[in-house]
Amino acid sequence: MTADDIQRAARTRAKILDGFARAERALFTRPAPKSPNAQMRFLRKRERGSTKSLAARLGVSRKTVQRYLSGASTKPNKRLQAALVQETESEWQPQVRAQARQRAASSGGLVISCRAYFGLGPEGTSDAGRVRDIQVAVSPSHAAAIIAAQEEGATESDLHDAVAEAIADAYFRQGGGGRAGLEVKFTDVEWLNIKF
């Protein structure tokens, strides 16, 4: 695998994870804390009151955490702000997210829409590879595989392969119809959205 392939896979995985994050944010019944002070208080509760473990989680010093909790600091740098938003949203309303994931894996499936390069057949045919905009409902079994891979912190290629297989099966193979053995190449993802 070349360095270019590794970077492409990392960008694709990031887009898949971003798609999950956006889909989960759409499920929230209450807005997540917005101010750095409120985010710090919320995350400290999730860390059972430990400022030391919260500081390690955010990659800052314990004093920094204490300054935000006391209100002495109010404007975090870009890296800390991004970490606060990401960590807060990853912990916010876990039951709502768990119910949506369970529903998707058992009965509802997922809807994946993306713009990416899909290659099906040899050049010069109607199945030749090209960039396509696709929106497809993915079966609960494929949704379960994608969700399990994402929750287990799957490697870039595993997560990419699970999404590619789900799209290929639902859109190109149509659930194992006449093109059951069709190989589908899925690369160069420009954007990807997921809906529960």
Side-chain angles (χ1 to χ4, degrees):
M1 191 175 244
T2 67
D4 210 25
D5 292 339
I6 292 170
Q7 287 179 343
R8 185 179 304 120
R11 285 191 305 268
T12 298
R13 183 174 192 274
K15 288 177 182 166
I16 293 169
L17 292 176
D18 287 345
F20 267 108
R22 283 191 307 275
E24 288 177 340
R25 278 195 301 269
L27 298 172
F28 291 160
T29 58
R30 293 178 295 137
K34 299 287 185 221
S35 74
N37 183 285
Q39 291 168 333
M40 284 282 189
R41 286 194 318 265
F42 170 73
L43 290 171
R44 183 180 62 179
K45 282 182 190 175
R46 302 302 286 179
E47 292 292 333
R48 295 179 171 77
S50 171
T51 56
K52 183 178 180 181
S53 63
L54 177 55
R57 181 177 181 175
L58 295 173
V60 295
S61 70
R62 194 173 185 178
K63 270 192 175 277
T64 300
V65 170
Q66 291 169 340
R67 281 196 308 268
Y68 281 98
L69 289 171
S70 69
S73 292
T74 57
K75 297 201 179 204
N77 61 31
K78 288 181 181 180
R79 190 201 60 75
L80 178 57
Q81 180 63 38
L84 282 169
V85 169
Q86 179 181 351
E87 293 299 320
T88 299
E89 288 182 353
S90 72
E91 293 279 340
W92 190 248
Q93 294 190 323
Q95 291 175 338
V96 171
R97 285 196 315 272
Q99 289 170 352
R101 287 171 179 250
Q102 177 62 34
R103 196 171 40 253
S106 63
S107 62
L110 297 170
V111 175
I112 299 175
S113 54
C114 65
R115 179 175 178 84
Y117 175 88
F118 290 93
L120 310 174
E123 292 299 318
T125 67
S126 63
D127 288 340
R130 63 182 182 269
V131 174
R132 299 171 191 242
D133 289 330
I134 291 178
Q135 181 171 351
V136 65
V138 174
S139 71
S141 61
H142 282 299
I146 293 168
I147 290 169
Q150 190 261 341
E151 287 176 345
E152 294 168 2
T155 64
E156 297 161 355
S157 63
D158 291 342
L159 191 56
H160 179 269
D161 292 347
V163 171
E165 182 63 25
I167 292 171
D169 200 38
Y171 188 83
F172 295 104
R173 296 183 200 130
Q174 294 149 353
R179 303 173 113 190
L182 184 68
E183 287 293 319
V184 178
K185 184 178 178 186
F186 172 61
T187 59
D188 300 331
V189 178
E190 292 180 25
W191 55 267
L192 186 135
N193 290 319
I194 298 171
K195 290 182 185 170
F196 285 92

